[in-house]
Amino acid sequence: MIIEVPFVYSRGARQPGKRKFKPAFLRGSTHVRLEEVAAEDFPVAFELLTRDMRTGEYRPGDEIRYLGGSLYPPMLGYGGERHATVDNVIAHHAGGCTSAIGRHLPQREPTFGREMEALLELDPRDPGDEAEMAALAARGAEPVRICGGRLWRELKDELLLVAEPEDRFNPPQVTIGWRKNLEAKVGPLDCERHFRLDQLPEALLSLGLDVDPDDPASFGPHVPHLPVIHIPSAIRYCHDQGPAFLKAVRKAWDGYDYTRASTAVLRVYSELGRRLPPDARPEELLEPFRSFVEAVEVGEGLRRADAWRREIDKYEANPAQHASEATGPRP
């Protein structure tokens, strides 16, 4: 299917009666092709059932489809619709608005109103960036698919469970997030918080919740979105605790007050620092960090080094360290 996508581009133009051409933002549009896919060729990989806070029951939520090894979540709707359809996107564009299809396009306001813009004379020596904006619109349309009149956008990403401890406003709960968004927000993922989509029991266990993993009715307010997996092969995430371990080692080394440390602790502290270049690898730091933690335990007590020892235990239990156990994160 071919639809029109509006955009705003820059080009030299002059108003009637004016002598000089000046840079202006003008309205433009291009036609893009959206690929249509039959439902039988576009199966549902996961469903995210949403818990009704009033009744406590789970009701149908978002579907995430699967094609060519990629996941396709639904595009955001327009005109009050939850899920974007071809009709409401076309109507949205007809009003001069851009949609998620044009997400690569810069957001600009036209310099002139429509009536004045129709009277402008364009600078023949200035081609502007109209072709560039049209190419960006085409780029935004490439990952979009149509199925049953609805729009879906390809994401080369993975959906994960996130164990969120209790805070001032919320009870402990297991939420859902895309891996790239989580990494951008919190940095390296931690095996005590981030789980594969099929590891709901482990995520609940990590929060210490007394629920029956086989009985969704027992989840209470702890699982607002319940994943239902239709294509297990779509889950490919394999946790690697190495980056989080490396971050923890750097934080421990940077935050340690060595001014009051004993000679024994200073010796291993210095050795750890020597092993911490910018390109250090986690496996190279395990033994130096263990020696540092053991020295601190002897000199300053177990309590001081308890959190560091926990980071060592998590890294050593990391499935990525054991090829035969590469089944995802474990708390």
Side-chain angles (χ1 to χ4, degrees):
M1 176 176 287
I2 296 176
I3 67 172
E4 186 177 11
V5 178
F7 57 80
V8 175
Y9 69 100
S10 63
R11 185 172 181 178
R14 66 185 177 191
Q15 301 179 55
K18 301 290 184 179
R19 185 172 60 88
K20 291 184 178 181
F21 290 101
K22 293 184 178 181
F25 290 130
L26 308 176
R27 295 173 178 84
S29 67
T30 187
H31 288 85
V32 300
R33 182 183 297 275
L34 302 182
E35 182 179 340
E36 297 185 63
V37 186
E40 57 269 23
D41 299 324
F42 200 43
V44 176
F46 319 122
E47 281 185 275
L48 301 180
L49 306 186
T50 302
R51 185 174 183 272
D52 189 317
M53 299 302 292
R54 183 175 57 86
T55 65
E57 296 181 352
Y58 287 95
R59 51 183 172 79
D62 289 334
E63 296 177 347
I64 297 178
R65 294 182 176 265
Y66 190 65
L67 180 67
S70 296
L71 297 178
Y72 286 78
M75 273 180 49
L76 178 68
Y78 300 91
E81 298 288 340
R82 177 178 174 83
H83 192 148
T85 65
V86 176
D87 291 340
N88 64 28
V89 168
I90 291 175
H92 195 68
H93 289 173
C97 302
T98 59
S99 69
I101 295 175
R103 67 189 183 282
H104 298 298
L105 295 168
Q107 299 301 305
R108 300 164 171 171
E109 290 294 328
T111 305
F112 303 100
R114 292 183 181 274
E115 293 182 359
M116 175 56 71
E117 191 171 305
L119 302 176
L120 296 176
E121 181 182 354
L122 302 180
D123 187 348
R125 299 166 301 175
D126 177 14
D129 62 359
E130 184 176 10
E132 180 183 346
M133 295 301 105
L136 289 176
R139 177 187 168 196
E142 285 179 0
V144 178
R145 302 290 182 268
I146 302 174
C147 182
R150 294 184 172 187
L151 300 183
W152 312 76
R153 183 165 64 89
E154 178 183 16
L155 279 185
K156 297 183 182 297
D157 203 349
E158 298 166 299
L159 198 62
L160 303 181
L161 298 177
V162 185
E164 300 284 2
E166 182 179 14
D167 59 27
R168 291 172 53 195
F169 306 103
N170 301 296
Q173 56 185 328
V174 178
T175 60
I176 289 180
W178 293 98
R179 177 176 56 83
K180 291 180 181 178
N181 290 343
L182 293 169
E183 288 176 337
K185 182 178 179 180
V186 304
L189 304 185
D190 192 302
C191 65
E192 288 188 326
R193 287 197 59 204
H194 304 101
F195 300 85
R196 284 201 325 249
L197 206 60
D198 59 352
Q199 291 182 309
L200 183 58
E202 287 92 334
L204 293 168
L205 179 63
S206 72
L207 293 173
L209 297 175
D210 184 18
V211 299
D212 181 357
D214 297 321
D215 180 16
S218 70
F219 294 166
H222 304 299
V223 185
H225 301 285
L226 180 65
V228 177
I229 301 166
H230 296 279
I231 304 179
S233 61
I235 300 174
R236 299 178 179 177
Y237 177 69
C238 182
H239 186 79
D240 181 5
Q241 188 65 17
F245 176 71
L246 180 58
K247 179 181 177 181
V249 173
R250 291 190 185 281
K251 182 178 179 180
W253 192 84
D254 291 339
Y256 182 69
D257 183 7
Y258 60 85
T259 58
R260 299 181 182 181
S262 65
T263 302
V265 174
L266 280 176
R267 187 180 299 113
V268 292
Y269 176 78
S270 299
E271 175 64 16
L272 178 60
R274 190 179 68 81
R275 300 284 191 95
L276 264 175
D279 58 348
R281 294 185 298 176
E283 61 269 22
E284 298 171 345
L285 298 175
L286 179 60
E287 293 308 320
F289 188 54
R290 193 198 308 275
S291 298
F292 168 68
V293 172
E294 290 173 351
V296 172
E297 286 176 338
V298 172
E300 303 179 25
L302 294 174
R303 187 171 184 178
R304 174 66 188 274
D306 185 60
W308 298 335
R309 177 66 71 181
R310 187 170 183 79
E311 294 297 335
I312 292 174
D313 292 342
K314 287 192 294 184
Y315 177 67
E316 290 187 315
N318 178 19
Q321 310 308 117
H322 312 286
S324 63
E325 299 174 12
T327 57
R330 295 290 183 229

